[in-house]
Amino acid sequence: MKSVAVLPGDGIGPEVVSAALSVLDRLDLPLLLRFGDIGWECWKQEGNPVPERTWRLLEETDTCLLGAVTSKPLREAEVELAGRLRGQGLEFISPVVQLRQRLRLFANIRPVTDLKHGRFNFVVIRENTEGLYAGLDFHGIQDPLWKEVRDHPNAAESGPASTSVTLRLQTSTGMDRILRFGFEYARRHGYSSLTVADKPNVLRQSGNHLRERLERVGADYPDIGAEILNVDAVALWMVRRPERFGVIVAENMFGDILSDLGAGVMGGLGLAPSGNVGDHGSYFEPVHGSAPGMAGQGRANPVATLLTVALLLDHLELAVPARQLRDAVHAVVLRRTAVTYDLGGNASTSQAAESVADQLSSIQAVKG
Ligand code: NAI
Ligand code: MG
């Protein structure tokens, strides 16, 4: 039996997770759900938003469903700490950043589907560990880096103390891994094309390095058409011709931006699912955050979390129930009679989920 760590987290997290689990229950799958703690309460009471017992739970389970977590700026984080924990130099590190780093989750998956008309269905896969977010970010430049920078006229005028530099790290290790992941994902999900979004005509050396790796890795996947496009063109076409894309792979920052654009193309945060996957771990979460202003009102759209559960089921190689769940969500969104406010309806979180569960039962009755 597969096991799933369930971390509802903060704000609307517990509401959308509980709604999604009530639907998952209808699928009657051999899954063991084990609940755990994460988020702002853990930070306030224990000085760590991801307690050790939660890391143990993640080690003992096959994957994880996360609701949402609240993050606040440093000063507010310190103020809200329990009195006995203040002044100890405890530092708030975003739980999702901790998960990605400690579990080495190198791929961020963001499916972008047209729930209303079925006109497009692509996925943005973002490299999570290197690129422009590798952490090689300097303000005040010393030798030997200054030697590389000082001939730029703006740097020459500002001087080393008033210059900052961010290095884009592109390694064969990181690029091969994300490209192979992208090709495998394409094969497994029936996509015939893989687009790498980069900027080869400006970032010539690293862009050419990426092209070489794409050619090498792509040789193992002759059935998938591969291309490199400028990231700005990809952004334009995601909006104008989203149906042209299958799998889109991008380095960390380009992927960060394109994947949020994907949530917009899809129709908003209430709909967009995501997954983070590595060689030895994974977690799945809706793209949206904890939306504290909406928490406790039962108004949050559960669709993003339902599609996240479908992604998680795919990952556990439960492709058939994953498809049934997606079909049920699509049918409910299309019918529009039981959808939440953000889709123009007035259903509550649990009513919307119930309607997906009913739809699921009728899909299963037909297919069963
Ligand atoms: P947010 O995604 O929580 O909410 C932004 C707005 O989007 C909401 O006010 C609401 O209008 C709408 N929205 C979000 N989820 C929705 C849903 N399920 N149904 C309907 N409408 C929905 O982003 P915000 O306000 O910037 O951040 C709030 C907190 O969440 C912060 O503490 C932030 O750090 C955290 N956050 C956590 C993330 C995570 O858990 N991975 C991701 C993004 C933000
Ligand atoms: Mg983002």
Side-chain angles (χ1 to χ4, degrees):
M1 191 189 306
K2 301 275 188 187
S3 57
V4 181
V6 180
L7 310 176
D10 303 310
I12 61 171
E15 298 168 40
V16 290
V17 164
S18 131
L21 292 183
S22 73
V23 179
L24 178 63
D25 199 45
R26 284 294 171 100
L27 283 165
D28 209 13
L29 298 170
L31 287 179
L32 176 67
L33 304 182
R34 295 180 57 193
F35 288 80
D37 300 321
I38 196 165
W40 199 247
E41 273 311 305
C42 298
W43 164 252
K44 277 164 57 178
Q45 301 306 328
E46 305 175 45
N48 185 353
V50 195
E52 274 313 311
R53 61 181 180 284
T54 299
W55 290 114
R56 275 199 300 281
L57 177 64
L58 291 170
E59 255 164 47
E60 291 164 7
T61 43
D62 292 298
T63 185
C64 167
L65 175 66
L66 175 67
V69 287
T70 295
S71 288
K72 297 187 190 180
L74 288 183
R75 202 172 301 161
E76 284 172 62
E78 172 76 13
V79 168
E80 292 194 31
L81 264 183
R84 65 197 146 77
L85 296 171
R86 272 181 235 151
Q88 293 180 17
L90 290 171
E91 193 193 345
F92 180 85
I93 303 172
S94 155
V96 295
V97 171
Q98 291 197 46
L99 290 174
R100 286 172 199 169
Q101 287 183 350
R102 188 148 153 187
L103 303 177
R104 295 170 189 252
L105 308 179
F106 61 83
N108 178 264
I109 311 168
R110 298 272 198 98
V112 183
T113 44
D114 181 5
L115 293 172
K116 289 166 206 163
H117 310 290
R119 282 184 300 220
F120 55 83
N121 172 24
F122 63 97
V123 59
V124 179
I125 298 181
R126 161 188 172 191
E127 205 289 329
N128 244 346
T129 67
E130 53 178 37
L132 207 66
Y133 294 170
L136 304 173
D137 186 46
F138 307 95
H139 177 196
I141 309 303
Q142 293 164 358
D143 278 337
L145 185 55
W146 179 245
K147 287 204 181 79
E148 301 293 332
V149 178
R150 65 186 177 194
D151 289 337
H152 189 286
N154 298 6
E157 188 180 325
S158 296
S162 296
T163 295
S164 42
V165 169
T166 308
L167 298 178
R168 181 168 94 137
L169 184 73
Q170 301 270 76
T171 67
S172 296
T173 304
M175 289 188 284
D176 288 7
R177 191 171 59 179
I178 198 69
L179 290 170
R180 197 165 291 286
F181 184 91
F183 279 113
E184 291 290 333
Y185 193 95
R187 258 194 194 159
R188 196 145 40 88
H189 294 84
Y191 292 109
S192 57
S193 76
L194 182 142
T195 304
V196 175
D198 203 57
K199 194 72 183 180
N201 53 350
V202 174
L203 302 170
R204 287 177 177 277
Q205 297 303 325
S206 59
N208 194 49
H209 186 194
L210 179 52
R211 178 175 297 283
E212 280 170 21
R213 302 321 298 183
L214 177 65
E215 282 165 4
R216 186 171 295 211
V217 175
D220 292 341
Y221 302 88
D223 48 320
I224 313 286
E227 60 179 354
I228 297 188
L229 293 181
N230 282 322
V231 60
D232 45 349
V234 172
L236 177 71
W237 288 355
M238 270 175 65
V239 174
R240 303 292 296 185
R241 288 182 57 205
E243 68 284 354
R244 90 174 282 299
F245 293 113
V247 172
I248 299 174
V249 174
E251 64 98 346
N252 217 335
M253 184 181 77
F254 291 159
D256 184 24
I257 298 167
L258 289 183
S259 53
D260 269 24
L261 177 61
V265 168
M266 206 171 158
L269 284 173
L271 303 177
S274 82
N276 287 273
V277 177
D279 287 329
H280 307 289
S282 56
Y283 79 89
F284 295 82
E285 63 171 345
V287 170
H288 65 72
S290 59
M294 216 165 54
Q297 300 175 12
R299 293 174 68 227
N301 191 345
V303 164
T305 311
L306 285 163
L307 294 178
T308 297
V309 169
L311 206 54
L312 180 152
L313 295 178
D314 270 334
H315 181 76
L316 295 177
E317 296 183 344
L318 296 164
V320 172
R323 191 172 338 110
Q324 291 176 341
L325 177 53
R326 268 188 206 106
D327 287 348
V329 169
H330 288 211
V332 167
V333 170
L334 205 60
R335 211 183 309 123
R336 302 238 144 196
T337 47
V339 290
T340 48
Y341 79 96
D342 55 319
L343 296 178
N346 54 17
S348 68
T349 308
S350 54
Q351 285 166 338
E354 231 165 82
S355 145
V356 174
D358 290 344
Q359 183 68 30
L360 197 53
S361 299
S362 59
I363 288 174
Q364 287 179 314
V366 171
K367 297 193 175 152

